[in-house]
Amino acid sequence: MPENWRDTLFVWDGILTVDKASAEGDPSPLSWSGTWVGVDNPDAIKIDAPKRGAFDAEVKSDMNFEVSGTAGPIAAASESSSGGDENGASSGNKTTDGPFKATLAKGSGWDLKDEASGEVARHTDTVHDLYLKQLRWLGSPDKTTNLVYAVGQNEFGPFISAGWMRPGNRITLGRRYLDG
């Protein structure tokens, strides 16, 4: 464990599942589940992404997560000030048009092991907003379409995340907690 636990990069890796919206213009229900590992290094640039075995569905870890919520297109600034919903989604945009904001503060949450007791407890984020250009991996040669980032908050403080989407709708994000 590093001297400052905020030097740990929490790497989440899992599959994003997107359901069809019930009606045109409604947010799309989605869930993201998988495993996470902590990597102790204050310099995130020097950290390699965790490796998955060729036949493994997930990165090997005892720590799991399952978060869910909804996603909708991000409205242009003029639309959000005149009628976008609380997710910033515009009812005029099709659910296939990006970029998107996904709110993932629901679901069973994520595991965290207490180092002192060895007990694993489930935690949730009060805010977890994911921003992505597409809801499904499309294999675009433009690598920027695969970028994903997030901001959030939970009992441990505010956090930011950055990463990418890969084939199979697999999202890998590195989460770093910010000082108070």
Side-chain angles (χ1 to χ4, degrees):
M1 189 76 160
E3 190 173 307
N4 180 354
W5 69 268
R6 292 180 191 281
D7 287 343
T8 301
L9 184 69
F10 300 90
V11 182
W12 291 37
D13 181 74
I15 303 296
L16 181 71
T17 304
V18 182
D19 295 327
K20 187 174 181 178
S22 57
E24 184 66 37
D26 285 352
S28 297
L30 51 83
S31 63
W32 182 37
S33 61
T35 57
W36 69 265
V37 295
V39 183
D40 298 332
N41 192 328
D43 189 351
I45 293 173
K46 295 180 180 176
I47 297 173
D48 289 330
K51 305 291 187 263
R52 242 180 343 110
F55 299 103
D56 294 336
E58 299 174 341
V59 170
K60 289 194 184 309
S61 174
D62 293 334
M63 300 295 109
N64 298 297
F65 69 88
E66 208 225 297
V67 294
S68 62
T70 59
I74 298 173
S78 62
E79 289 178 324
S80 64
S81 63
S82 63
D85 70 10
E86 68 276 0
N87 286 332
S90 166
S91 60
N93 289 345
K94 296 179 187 174
T95 57
T96 56
D97 297 339
F100 295 92
K101 176 183 177 184
T103 302
L104 295 170
K106 296 180 181 175
S108 62
W110 43 273
D111 295 333
L112 182 63
K113 185 176 185 178
D114 183 293
E115 293 295 326
S117 70
E119 296 290 319
V120 175
R122 211 56 164 168
H123 298 269
T124 58
D125 298 326
T126 52
V127 176
H128 189 174
D129 294 335
L130 194 72
Y131 297 89
L132 56 172
K133 197 158 186 177
Q134 56 198 21
L135 292 178
R136 290 181 180 80
W137 189 82
L138 301 173
S140 173
D142 178 3
K143 301 296 183 207
T144 63
T145 62
N146 300 329
L147 293 175
V148 180
Y149 65 96
V151 295
Q153 175 84 33
N154 59 38
E155 64 192 282
F156 301 105
F159 62 85
I160 58 172
S161 302
W164 59 91
M165 180 184 283
R166 295 179 288 151
N169 253 31
R170 178 172 296 280
I171 293 180
T172 303
L173 286 180
R175 176 186 285 202
R176 182 67 57 111
Y177 285 87
L178 306 172
D179 290 329

Coordinates of all heavy atoms in Angstrom, one line a residue, residues 35-126:
T35 N -14.4 -6.6 -13.3 CA -13.5 -6.7 -12.1 C -12.7 -5.4 -12.1 O -12.5 -4.7 -13.1 CB -12.6 -7.9 -12.2 OG1 -11.9 -7.9 -13.4 CG2 -13.4 -9.2 -12.1
W36 N -12.0 -5.2 -11.0 CA -11.1 -4.1 -10.9 C -9.9 -4.5 -10.1 O -9.9 -5.4 -9.3 CB -11.7 -2.8 -10.3 CG -12.1 -2.9 -8.9 CD1 -13.3 -3.2 -8.3 CD2 -11.3 -2.6 -7.8 NE1 -13.3 -3.1 -7.0 CE2 -12.0 -2.8 -6.6 CE3 -9.9 -2.2 -7.6 CZ2 -11.5 -2.6 -5.3 CZ3 -9.4 -2.0 -6.3 CH2 -10.2 -2.2 -5.2
V37 N -8.8 -3.9 -10.4 CA -7.5 -4.1 -9.7 C -6.9 -2.7 -9.3 O -7.1 -1.7 -10.0 CB -6.5 -4.9 -10.5 CG1 -7.0 -6.3 -10.8 CG2 -6.1 -4.2 -11.8
G38 N -6.2 -2.7 -8.2 CA -5.5 -1.5 -7.7 C -4.1 -1.6 -8.1 O -3.5 -2.6 -7.9
V39 N -3.5 -0.5 -8.6 CA -2.1 -0.5 -9.0 C -1.5 0.7 -8.3 O -2.0 1.9 -8.5 CB -1.9 -0.3 -10.5 CG1 -0.5 -0.3 -10.9 CG2 -2.7 -1.4 -11.3
D40 N -0.5 0.5 -7.4 CA 0.1 1.5 -6.6 C 1.2 2.2 -7.3 O 2.3 1.7 -7.5 CB 0.6 0.9 -5.3 CG -0.5 0.3 -4.5 OD1 -1.7 0.8 -4.6 OD2 -0.3 -0.6 -3.7
N41 N 0.9 3.4 -7.9 CA 2.0 4.2 -8.5 C 1.4 5.6 -8.7 O 0.3 5.8 -9.3 CB 2.3 3.6 -9.9 CG 3.6 4.2 -10.4 OD1 3.9 5.4 -10.2 ND2 4.4 3.5 -11.2
P42 N 2.1 6.6 -8.2 CA 1.6 8.0 -8.3 C 1.6 8.5 -9.8 O 0.9 9.4 -10.1 CB 2.5 8.8 -7.4 CG 3.7 8.0 -7.2 CD 3.3 6.6 -7.4
D43 N 2.4 7.9 -10.6 CA 2.6 8.3 -12.0 C 1.8 7.3 -12.9 O 2.3 6.3 -13.3 CB 4.0 8.3 -12.4 CG 4.2 8.9 -13.8 OD1 3.2 9.2 -14.5 OD2 5.4 9.2 -14.2
A44 N 0.5 7.7 -13.2 CA -0.4 6.8 -14.0 C 0.2 6.5 -15.4 O -0.1 5.5 -16.0 CB -1.7 7.5 -14.2
I45 N 1.1 7.3 -15.9 CA 1.7 7.1 -17.3 C 2.5 5.8 -17.2 O 2.7 5.1 -18.3 CB 2.5 8.3 -17.7 CG1 1.5 9.5 -18.0 CG2 3.3 8.0 -19.0 CD1 2.2 10.8 -18.3
K46 N 3.1 5.5 -16.1 CA 4.0 4.3 -16.0 C 3.3 3.0 -15.7 O 3.9 2.0 -15.5 CB 5.0 4.6 -14.9 CG 6.0 5.8 -15.3 CD 7.0 6.0 -14.2 CE 7.9 7.2 -14.6 NZ 8.8 7.5 -13.6
I47 N 2.0 3.0 -15.7 CA 1.2 1.9 -15.3 C 0.7 1.1 -16.6 O 0.1 1.8 -17.4 CB 0.0 2.2 -14.4 CG1 0.5 2.8 -13.1 CG2 -0.9 1.0 -14.1 CD1 -0.6 3.4 -12.2
D48 N 1.0 -0.1 -16.6 CA 0.5 -1.0 -17.7 C -1.0 -1.4 -17.4 O -1.3 -1.6 -16.3 CB 1.3 -2.2 -17.9 CG 2.7 -1.9 -18.5 OD1 2.8 -0.9 -19.2 OD2 3.6 -2.7 -18.2
A49 N -1.8 -1.5 -18.5 CA -3.2 -2.0 -18.3 C -3.1 -3.4 -17.9 O -2.3 -4.2 -18.3 CB -3.9 -1.8 -19.6
P50 N -4.0 -3.8 -16.9 CA -4.0 -5.2 -16.5 C -4.3 -6.1 -17.7 O -5.0 -5.8 -18.6 CB -5.2 -5.3 -15.5 CG -5.4 -3.9 -15.1 CD -5.0 -3.0 -16.2
K51 N -3.7 -7.3 -17.7 CA -3.8 -8.2 -18.8 C -4.9 -9.3 -18.4 O -5.0 -9.7 -17.3 CB -2.5 -8.9 -19.1 CG -1.3 -8.0 -19.3 CD -1.5 -7.3 -20.6 CE -0.3 -6.5 -21.0 NZ -0.3 -5.1 -20.7
R52 N -5.6 -9.7 -19.5 CA -6.6 -10.7 -19.4 C -6.0 -11.9 -20.1 O -5.4 -11.8 -21.2 CB -7.9 -10.3 -20.1 CG -9.1 -10.2 -19.3 CD -10.3 -9.8 -20.0 NE -10.1 -9.2 -21.3 CZ -10.5 -9.8 -22.5 NH1 -11.0 -10.9 -22.5 NH2 -10.3 -9.1 -23.6
G53 N -6.2 -13.1 -19.6 CA -5.8 -14.3 -20.4 C -6.6 -14.5 -21.6 O -7.8 -14.0 -21.7
A54 N -6.1 -15.1 -22.6 CA -6.8 -15.3 -23.9 C -8.2 -15.8 -23.8 O -9.1 -15.5 -24.5 CB -6.0 -16.1 -24.9
F55 N -8.4 -16.7 -22.8 CA -9.7 -17.3 -22.6 C -10.5 -16.9 -21.4 O -11.5 -17.4 -21.0 CB -9.6 -18.9 -22.6 CG -9.0 -19.4 -23.9 CD1 -7.7 -19.8 -24.0 CD2 -9.8 -19.4 -25.1 CE1 -7.1 -20.2 -25.1 CE2 -9.2 -19.9 -26.2 CZ -7.9 -20.3 -26.3
D56 N -10.0 -15.8 -20.8 CA -10.6 -15.3 -19.6 C -11.6 -14.2 -20.0 O -11.3 -13.3 -20.8 CB -9.6 -14.7 -18.6 CG -8.6 -15.7 -18.0 OD1 -9.0 -16.9 -18.0 OD2 -7.5 -15.4 -17.7
A57 N -12.7 -14.2 -19.3 CA -13.7 -13.2 -19.6 C -13.4 -11.9 -18.9 O -13.7 -10.8 -19.4 CB -15.1 -13.6 -19.1
E58 N -12.6 -11.9 -17.8 CA -12.3 -10.8 -17.0 C -10.8 -10.8 -16.6 O -10.2 -11.8 -16.5 CB -13.2 -10.7 -15.8 CG -14.7 -10.6 -16.1 CD -15.6 -10.7 -14.9 OE1 -15.2 -11.2 -13.9 OE2 -16.7 -10.3 -15.1
V59 N -10.4 -9.6 -16.2 CA -9.1 -9.5 -15.5 C -9.1 -10.3 -14.2 O -10.1 -10.1 -13.5 CB -8.7 -8.0 -15.3 CG1 -7.5 -7.9 -14.5 CG2 -8.5 -7.3 -16.6
K60 N -8.1 -11.0 -13.9 CA -8.1 -11.8 -12.6 C -8.1 -10.9 -11.4 O -7.1 -10.1 -11.2 CB -6.9 -12.8 -12.6 CG -7.1 -13.9 -13.5 CD -6.1 -15.0 -13.2 CE -6.1 -16.1 -14.2 NZ -7.3 -16.7 -14.6
S61 N -9.1 -10.9 -10.6 CA -9.2 -10.1 -9.4 C -10.4 -10.6 -8.6 O -11.4 -11.2 -9.1 CB -9.5 -8.6 -9.8 OG -9.8 -7.9 -8.6
D62 N -10.2 -10.5 -7.3 CA -11.3 -10.8 -6.3 C -12.3 -9.7 -6.2 O -13.4 -9.8 -5.5 CB -10.8 -11.2 -5.0 CG -10.0 -12.5 -5.0 OD1 -10.2 -13.3 -5.9 OD2 -9.1 -12.6 -4.1
M63 N -12.0 -8.5 -6.7 CA -12.8 -7.3 -6.6 C -13.7 -7.2 -7.8 O -13.2 -7.1 -9.0 CB -12.0 -6.1 -6.4 CG -11.1 -6.1 -5.2 SD -12.0 -6.1 -3.6 CE -11.7 -7.8 -3.1
N64 N -15.0 -7.2 -7.6 CA -16.0 -7.1 -8.7 C -16.7 -5.8 -8.6 O -16.8 -5.1 -7.6 CB -17.0 -8.2 -8.6 CG -16.3 -9.6 -8.8 OD1 -15.7 -9.9 -9.8 ND2 -16.4 -10.4 -7.7
F65 N -17.4 -5.4 -9.8 CA -18.3 -4.3 -9.8 C -19.5 -4.6 -10.7 O -19.4 -5.4 -11.6 CB -17.6 -3.0 -10.2 CG -17.2 -2.9 -11.6 CD1 -18.0 -2.5 -12.6 CD2 -15.9 -3.4 -12.0 CE1 -17.6 -2.4 -13.9 CE2 -15.5 -3.3 -13.3 CZ -16.4 -2.8 -14.3
E66 N -20.6 -3.9 -10.4 CA -21.8 -4.0 -11.2 C -22.5 -2.7 -11.0 O -23.1 -2.5 -9.9 CB -22.7 -5.2 -11.0 CG -23.4 -5.5 -12.2 CD -24.9 -5.8 -12.1 OE1 -25.2 -6.7 -11.4 OE2 -25.6 -5.0 -12.7
V67 N -22.5 -1.8 -12.0 CA -23.2 -0.5 -11.9 C -24.1 -0.4 -13.1 O -23.9 -1.0 -14.1 CB -22.2 0.7 -11.9 CG1 -21.3 0.7 -10.6 CG2 -21.2 0.7 -13.1
S68 N -25.2 0.4 -12.9 CA -26.2 0.5 -13.9 C -26.7 1.9 -13.9 O -26.5 2.7 -13.0 CB -27.3 -0.5 -13.7 OG -27.9 -0.3 -12.5
G69 N -27.5 2.2 -14.9 CA -28.1 3.6 -15.0 C -28.7 3.8 -16.4 O -29.2 2.8 -17.0
T70 N -28.6 5.0 -16.9 CA -29.1 5.3 -18.2 C -28.1 6.2 -19.0 O -27.3 6.8 -18.4 CB -30.5 6.0 -18.1 OG1 -30.3 7.3 -17.4 CG2 -31.5 5.2 -17.5
A71 N -28.3 6.2 -20.3 CA -27.4 7.0 -21.1 C -28.3 7.7 -22.2 O -29.3 7.2 -22.7 CB -26.4 6.2 -21.8
G72 N -27.9 8.9 -22.5 CA -28.6 9.7 -23.5 C -27.6 10.6 -24.2 O -26.5 10.9 -23.7
P73 N -28.0 11.1 -25.4 CA -27.1 12.0 -26.1 C -26.9 13.3 -25.4 O -27.8 13.7 -24.7 CB -27.8 12.3 -27.4 CG -28.9 11.2 -27.6 CD -29.2 10.8 -26.2
I74 N -25.7 13.8 -25.4 CA -25.4 15.1 -24.8 C -25.9 16.2 -25.7 O -25.6 16.2 -26.9 CB -23.9 15.3 -24.5 CG1 -23.4 14.2 -23.6 CG2 -23.6 16.7 -24.0 CD1 -21.9 14.2 -23.4
A75 N -26.7 17.1 -25.2 CA -27.3 18.2 -25.9 C -26.3 19.2 -26.2 O -25.4 19.4 -25.4 CB -28.5 18.7 -25.2
A76 N -26.4 19.9 -27.3 CA -25.6 21.1 -27.5 C -25.9 22.1 -26.4 O -27.0 22.1 -25.8 CB -25.9 21.7 -28.9
A77 N -25.0 23.0 -26.2 CA -25.1 24.0 -25.1 C -26.5 24.8 -25.2 O -27.1 25.0 -24.2 CB -24.0 25.0 -25.1
S78 N -26.9 25.1 -26.4 CA -28.1 25.9 -26.6 C -29.3 25.0 -26.3 O -30.3 25.5 -25.7 CB -28.2 26.5 -28.0 OG -28.3 25.4 -28.9
E79 N -29.3 23.7 -26.6 CA -30.4 22.9 -26.3 C -30.5 22.6 -24.8 O -31.5 22.5 -24.2 CB -30.2 21.5 -27.0 CG -30.4 21.6 -28.5 CD -30.2 20.3 -29.1 OE1 -29.4 19.5 -28.7 OE2 -31.0 20.0 -30.1
S80 N -29.3 22.4 -24.1 CA -29.3 22.1 -22.7 C -29.9 23.2 -21.9 O -30.5 23.0 -20.8 CB -27.9 21.7 -22.2 OG -27.1 22.7 -22.3
S81 N -29.7 24.5 -22.3 CA -30.2 25.6 -21.6 C -31.7 25.8 -21.9 O -32.3 26.6 -21.2 CB -29.4 26.9 -21.9 OG -29.5 27.2 -23.2
S82 N -32.2 25.1 -22.9 CA -33.6 25.3 -23.2 C -34.4 24.0 -23.4 O -35.0 23.8 -24.5 CB -33.7 26.2 -24.5 OG -33.1 25.5 -25.6
G83 N -34.2 23.1 -22.5 CA -35.1 21.9 -22.6 C -34.4 20.6 -22.5 O -35.1 19.6 -22.6
G84 N -33.1 20.5 -22.3 CA -32.5 19.2 -22.2 C -32.9 18.6 -20.8 O -33.3 19.3 -19.9
D85 N -32.8 17.3 -20.7 CA -33.2 16.7 -19.4 C -32.0 16.7 -18.4 O -31.0 17.3 -18.7 CB -33.7 15.2 -19.6 CG -32.6 14.2 -20.0 OD1 -31.4 14.6 -19.9 OD2 -33.0 13.1 -20.3
E86 N -32.2 16.1 -17.2 CA -31.2 16.2 -16.2 C -29.9 15.5 -16.5 O -28.8 15.8 -16.0 CB -31.7 15.6 -14.8 CG -31.9 14.1 -14.8 CD -33.3 13.7 -15.4 OE1 -34.1 14.6 -15.8 OE2 -33.5 12.5 -15.4
N87 N -29.9 14.6 -17.5 CA -28.7 14.0 -18.0 C -28.0 14.9 -19.1 O -27.0 14.5 -19.6 CB -28.9 12.6 -18.6 CG -29.2 11.6 -17.6 OD1 -28.7 11.7 -16.5 ND2 -30.0 10.6 -17.9
G88 N -28.6 16.0 -19.5 CA -28.1 16.8 -20.6 C -28.5 16.2 -21.9 O -28.0 16.6 -22.9
A89 N -29.4 15.3 -21.9 CA -29.9 14.7 -23.2 C -31.0 15.5 -23.8 O -31.8 16.0 -23.1 CB -30.4 13.3 -22.9
S90 N -31.0 15.6 -25.0 CA -32.0 16.3 -25.8 C -33.0 15.4 -26.3 O -32.6 14.4 -26.9 CB -31.4 17.1 -26.9 OG -32.4 17.6 -27.8
S91 N -34.3 15.6 -26.1 CA -35.3 14.7 -26.6 C -35.4 14.8 -28.2 O -36.0 13.9 -28.8 CB -36.7 15.1 -26.0 OG -37.0 16.4 -26.4
G92 N -34.7 15.8 -28.8 CA -34.8 15.9 -30.2 C -33.7 15.0 -30.9 O -33.8 14.7 -32.1
N93 N -32.7 14.5 -30.2 CA -31.7 13.7 -30.8 C -32.1 12.2 -30.8 O -32.7 11.8 -29.8 CB -30.3 13.9 -30.0 CG -29.7 15.2 -30.2 OD1 -30.1 15.9 -31.1 ND2 -28.8 15.6 -29.4
K94 N -31.6 11.5 -31.8 CA -31.8 10.1 -31.8 C -30.9 9.4 -30.8 O -29.8 10.0 -30.5 CB -31.5 9.5 -33.1 CG -32.5 10.0 -34.2 CD -32.0 9.3 -35.5 CE -32.8 9.9 -36.7 NZ -32.3 9.4 -38.0
T95 N -31.2 8.3 -30.2 CA -30.4 7.6 -29.2 C -29.1 7.0 -29.8 O -28.2 6.6 -29.1 CB -31.1 6.6 -28.4 OG1 -31.6 5.6 -29.4 CG2 -32.2 7.1 -27.6
T96 N -29.0 7.0 -31.2 CA -27.8 6.5 -31.8 C -26.8 7.6 -32.1 O -25.7 7.3 -32.5 CB -28.2 5.8 -33.2 OG1 -28.9 6.8 -34.0 CG2 -29.1 4.6 -32.9
D97 N -27.2 8.9 -31.9 CA -26.3 10.0 -32.1 C -25.5 10.3 -30.9 O -26.1 10.4 -29.8 CB -27.0 11.2 -32.6 CG -27.8 11.1 -33.9 OD1 -27.4 10.2 -34.7 OD2 -28.7 11.8 -34.1
G98 N -24.2 10.4 -31.0 CA -23.4 10.7 -29.8 C -22.9 12.1 -29.9 O -23.2 12.8 -30.9
P99 N -22.1 12.6 -28.9 CA -21.6 11.8 -27.8 C -22.7 11.6 -26.7 O -23.8 12.2 -26.8 CB -20.5 12.7 -27.3 CG -20.9 14.1 -27.7 CD -21.6 13.9 -29.0
F100 N -22.4 10.7 -25.8 CA -23.3 10.3 -24.7 C -22.8 10.6 -23.3 O -21.6 10.6 -23.1 CB -23.6 8.8 -24.8 CG -24.3 8.4 -26.1 CD1 -23.5 8.0 -27.2 CD2 -25.6 8.5 -26.2 CE1 -24.1 7.7 -28.4 CE2 -26.2 8.1 -27.4 CZ -25.5 7.7 -28.5
K101 N -23.8 10.8 -22.5 CA -23.5 10.9 -21.0 C -24.3 9.7 -20.4 O -25.5 9.6 -20.6 CB -24.0 12.2 -20.4 CG -23.8 12.2 -18.9 CD -24.3 13.5 -18.3 CE -24.2 13.6 -16.8 NZ -24.8 14.8 -16.3
A102 N -23.5 8.8 -19.7 CA -24.2 7.7 -19.0 C -24.0 8.0 -17.5 O -23.0 8.3 -17.0 CB -23.5 6.4 -19.3
T103 N -25.1 7.9 -16.8 CA -25.2 8.1 -15.3 C -25.2 6.7 -14.7 O -26.2 6.0 -14.9 CB -26.4 8.9 -14.9 OG1 -26.3 10.2 -15.6 CG2 -26.4 9.2 -13.4
L104 N -24.2 6.3 -14.0 CA -24.0 4.9 -13.5 C -24.0 4.8 -12.0 O -23.1 4.2 -11.4 CB -22.8 4.3 -14.1 CG -22.7 4.1 -15.6 CD1 -21.4 3.7 -16.1 CD2 -23.8 3.0 -16.0
A105 N -24.9 5.5 -11.3 CA -24.9 5.5 -9.8 C -25.8 4.5 -9.2 O -26.1 4.5 -8.0 CB -25.2 6.9 -9.3
K106 N -26.3 3.6 -10.0 CA -27.2 2.5 -9.5 C -26.5 1.2 -9.6 O -25.4 1.1 -10.1 CB -28.5 2.5 -10.3 CG -29.3 3.8 -10.1 CD -30.6 3.7 -10.9 CE -31.4 5.1 -10.8 NZ -32.6 5.1 -11.6
G107 N -27.2 0.1 -9.3 CA -26.7 -1.2 -9.3 C -26.1 -1.6 -8.0 O -26.2 -0.9 -7.0
S108 N -25.6 -2.8 -7.9 CA -25.1 -3.3 -6.6 C -23.8 -2.7 -6.1 O -23.4 -2.8 -5.0 CB -24.9 -4.8 -6.6 OG -24.0 -5.2 -7.6
G109 N -23.1 -2.0 -7.0 CA -21.9 -1.2 -6.6 C -20.6 -2.0 -6.9 O -20.5 -2.8 -7.8
W110 N -19.6 -1.8 -6.0 CA -18.3 -2.4 -6.2 C -17.7 -2.9 -4.9 O -18.0 -2.3 -3.8 CB -17.3 -1.4 -6.9 CG -17.4 0.0 -6.4 CD1 -18.3 1.0 -6.8 CD2 -16.7 0.6 -5.3 NE1 -18.1 2.1 -6.1 CE2 -17.1 2.0 -5.2 CE3 -15.6 0.2 -4.5 CZ2 -16.5 2.8 -4.3 CZ3 -15.1 1.1 -3.6 CH2 -15.5 2.4 -3.5
D111 N -16.9 -3.9 -5.0 CA -16.2 -4.5 -3.8 C -15.0 -3.7 -3.4 O -14.3 -3.1 -4.2 CB -15.7 -5.9 -4.1 CG -16.8 -6.9 -4.4 OD1 -18.0 -6.7 -4.0 OD2 -16.6 -7.9 -5.1
L112 N -14.8 -3.7 -2.1 CA -13.5 -3.1 -1.5 C -13.2 -3.9 -0.3 O -14.0 -4.1 0.6 CB -13.7 -1.6 -1.2 CG -12.5 -0.9 -0.7 CD1 -11.4 -0.9 -1.7 CD2 -12.8 0.5 -0.2
K113 N -11.9 -4.3 -0.2 CA -11.4 -5.1 0.9 C -10.8 -4.2 1.9 O -9.9 -3.4 1.6 CB -10.4 -6.1 0.4 CG -9.9 -7.1 1.5 CD -9.0 -8.1 0.8 CE -8.5 -9.1 1.8 NZ -7.7 -10.1 1.2
D114 N -11.2 -4.3 3.2 CA -10.7 -3.6 4.3 C -9.3 -4.2 4.6 O -9.3 -5.4 5.0 CB -11.6 -3.6 5.5 CG -11.1 -2.8 6.6 OD1 -10.1 -3.2 7.2 OD2 -11.7 -1.7 6.9
E115 N -8.2 -3.5 4.5 CA -6.9 -4.1 4.7 C -6.7 -4.6 6.1 O -6.1 -5.6 6.4 CB -5.8 -3.1 4.4 CG -5.7 -2.7 2.9 CD -5.3 -3.9 2.0 OE1 -4.5 -4.7 2.5 OE2 -5.8 -4.0 0.9
A116 N -7.3 -3.9 7.1 CA -7.2 -4.3 8.5 C -7.9 -5.5 8.9 O -7.4 -6.4 9.5 CB -7.6 -3.1 9.4
S117 N -9.2 -5.6 8.5 CA -10.0 -6.8 8.8 C -10.0 -7.9 7.8 O -10.3 -9.0 8.1 CB -11.5 -6.3 9.1 OG -12.1 -6.0 7.8
G118 N -9.7 -7.6 6.6 CA -9.7 -8.6 5.5 C -11.1 -8.8 4.9 O -11.3 -9.6 4.0
E119 N -12.1 -8.1 5.5 CA -13.5 -8.2 5.0 C -13.7 -7.4 3.7 O -13.2 -6.3 3.5 CB -14.4 -7.6 6.1 CG -14.4 -8.4 7.4 CD -15.0 -9.8 7.3 OE1 -16.1 -9.9 6.6 OE2 -14.4 -10.8 7.8
V120 N -14.5 -8.0 2.9 CA -14.9 -7.3 1.6 C -16.3 -6.7 1.8 O -17.2 -7.4 2.2 CB -14.9 -8.3 0.4 CG1 -15.4 -7.6 -0.8 CG2 -13.5 -8.8 0.2
A121 N -16.4 -5.4 1.5 CA -17.7 -4.7 1.6 C -18.1 -4.1 0.3 O -17.2 -3.9 -0.5 CB -17.7 -3.7 2.7
R122 N -19.4 -4.0 0.1 CA -19.9 -3.4 -1.2 C -20.1 -1.9 -1.0 O -20.6 -1.5 0.0 CB -21.2 -4.1 -1.5 CG -21.6 -4.2 -2.9 CD -20.7 -5.0 -3.7 NE -21.3 -5.4 -5.0 CZ -20.7 -5.8 -6.0 NH1 -19.4 -6.0 -6.0 NH2 -21.3 -6.2 -7.1
H123 N -19.7 -1.1 -1.9 CA -19.8 0.3 -1.9 C -20.5 0.8 -3.2 O -20.5 0.1 -4.2 CB -18.4 1.0 -1.8 CG -17.7 0.6 -0.5 ND1 -17.8 1.4 0.6 CD2 -16.9 -0.4 -0.2 CE1 -17.1 0.8 1.6 NE2 -16.5 -0.3 1.1
T124 N -21.0 2.0 -3.1 CA -21.6 2.6 -4.3 C -21.1 4.0 -4.5 O -20.7 4.7 -3.6 CB -23.2 2.6 -4.2 OG1 -23.6 3.3 -3.1 CG2 -23.7 1.2 -4.2
D125 N -21.3 4.5 -5.7 CA -21.0 5.9 -6.0 C -22.2 6.7 -6.0 O -23.3 6.3 -6.4 CB -20.4 6.0 -7.4 CG -19.1 5.3 -7.6 OD1 -18.3 5.2 -6.6 OD2 -18.8 4.8 -8.7
T126 N -22.2 7.9 -5.4 CA -23.3 8.8 -5.4 C -23.4 9.5 -6.7 O -24.5 9.8 -7.1 CB -23.2 9.8 -4.2 OG1 -22.0 10.5 -4.3 CG2 -23.4 9.2 -2.9

